Amino acid sequence: TAGITQAPTSQILAAGRSMTLRCTQDMRHNAMYWYRQDLGLGLRLIHYSNTAGTTGKGEVPDGYSVSRANTDDFPLTLASAVPSQTSVYFCASSDTGQALGGYTFGSGTRLTVV
Amino acid sequence: AQKVTQAQTEISVVEKEDVTLDCVYETRDTTYYLFWYKQPPSGELVFLIRRNSFDEQNEISGRYSWNFQKSTSSFNFTITASQVVDSAVYFCALSEAIHLAGGYQKVTFGTGTKLQVIP
C-alpha cells in the first residue's frame, strides 16, 4: 500500500542523547513535513521540504534538524534530546500540483525523553 | 499569520445524535484552503476534506457535511446520526495559497475537538 513509513513506532530516549526519526514515502510527492503533536496544542510544524535538497523551518524548529537527500526520505534528527521534546511526531507529504489535496501522514513516532 | 480556532475541546453525544464541530479561521490571504482531518483512537491522521476559499458550496458525503461561510470565517463539520466509529479527535486546518508558489503547503492546524459517541 502506497504511503508513508515512519520508524521507529515508539522510543524512550535518555536526555542528552541523539536520535534520528526516519520517514520514507513512495508516492513521489515533492513536499514533505515533520509535525509534533502535543495535548492541547494540536499539530505544530517543525520543518518542511518542498523538494529534494531544500528544507525550511516551521513553527517550532529549535532542537531539530532535517535533510532531504532524495525525494523519498526525510529524516528528523534530535541532536541532544530534552524532556520537552517528548511528543508524538508525524511525518507527512503532499502533492502541490493541480490535484491539490490534503496531507498523507505516517503513523507517527511516539518519543519519550527521560 | 494564519490561525485556526476550535473552541470545543471535547464533545460527548449519544449514538444517532447529530453533532457539529466548529472551526473558525484567520488569514490575510485571499486564496486559501481549509481541511478537516480525523484522528481515531488508533492514532493515525486521516484526511477528510479540502475546501478552496473561492468555493463556498456546502458539501455532503454520506453522514458528513461541511458548512463553509467566508462571511464568518467558519468551516463547520456536521456528523448526522453519529456512530461509535465516529469517536475520534477532529482537526480543522488552513493552508494559504502563497506557499504553493514555493512548492509546499504550510498547513496550520487547530488544537482539535475530541468527539466521544456513547452507545
Side-chain angles (χ1 to χ4, degrees):
Chain A
T1 302
I4 292 180
T5 301
Q6 286 187 239
T9 303
S10 64
Q11 182 75 43
I12 299 174
L13 184 68
R17 300 295 295 269
S18 66
M19 179 178 180
T20 295
L21 281 62
R22 300 185 297 279
C23 174
T24 300
Q25 55 116 346
D26 60 3
M27 299 168 286
R28 309 302 294 174
H29 285 169
N30 282 329
M32 297 187 74
Y33 316 82
W34 274 105
Y35 280 82
R36 60 178 288 174
Q37 182 180 16
D38 302 289
L39 192 62
L41 298 176
L43 288 91
R44 294 179 292 168
L45 181 64
I46 304 171
H47 285 287
Y48 65 89
S49 168
N50 59 344
T51 189
T54 303
T55 63
K57 293 182 179 180
E59 182 183 355
V60 287
D62 294 343
Y64 306 95
S65 63
V66 291
S67 61
R68 189 87 183 277
N70 55 63
T71 297
D72 298 340
D73 300 300
F74 191 43
L76 176 73
T77 297
L78 288 68
S80 180
V82 295
S84 61
Q85 292 178 310
T86 294
S87 186
V88 180
Y89 292 86
F90 286 97
C91 179
S93 69
S94 69
D95 175 2
T96 54
Q98 289 299 314
L100 178 67
Y103 284 171
T104 298
F105 282 93
S107 55
T109 294
R110 183 175 294 277
L111 177 66
T112 303
V113 181
V114 297
Chain B
Q2 53 192 47
K3 182 180 178 182
V4 176
T5 300
Q6 294 180 257
Q8 303 153 308
T9 305
E10 290 192 40
I11 301 175
S12 291
V13 298
V14 177
E15 200 171 21
K16 298 184 182 178
E17 286 185 347
D18 299 347
V19 59
T20 295
L21 309 182
D22 297 333
C23 174
V24 175
Y25 62 91
E26 297 176 28
T27 177
R28 295 178 184 175
D29 208 346
T30 55
T31 302
Y32 50 90
Y33 303 88
L34 296 163
F35 306 85
W36 276 94
Y37 288 85
K38 176 182 180 179
Q39 186 176 41
S42 54
E44 75 271 23
L45 284 150
V46 179
F47 166 71
L48 294 178
I49 190 173
R50 179 207 77 192
R51 214 78 189 121
N52 306 331
S53 56
F54 44 86
D55 181 2
E56 288 193 70
Q57 279 193 352
N58 292 328
E59 183 158 339
I60 298 174
S61 177
R63 296 184 297 106
Y64 294 173
S65 62
W66 291 269
N67 184 328
F68 175 30
Q69 292 194 348
K70 289 181 76 170
S71 60
T72 56
S73 297
S74 65
F75 186 44
N76 297 337
F77 174 27
T78 297
I79 301 174
T80 302
S82 59
Q83 299 177 1
V84 173
V85 294
D86 296 327
S87 297
V89 179
Y90 291 87
F91 291 96
C92 180
L94 167 69
S95 176
E96 293 174 335
I98 188 171
H99 300 296
L100 293 178
Y104 67 99
Q105 297 180 45
K106 185 177 180 182
V107 178
T108 297
F109 287 82
T111 52
T113 297
K114 183 177 182 179
L115 174 65
Q116 183 178 11
V117 181
I118 303 166

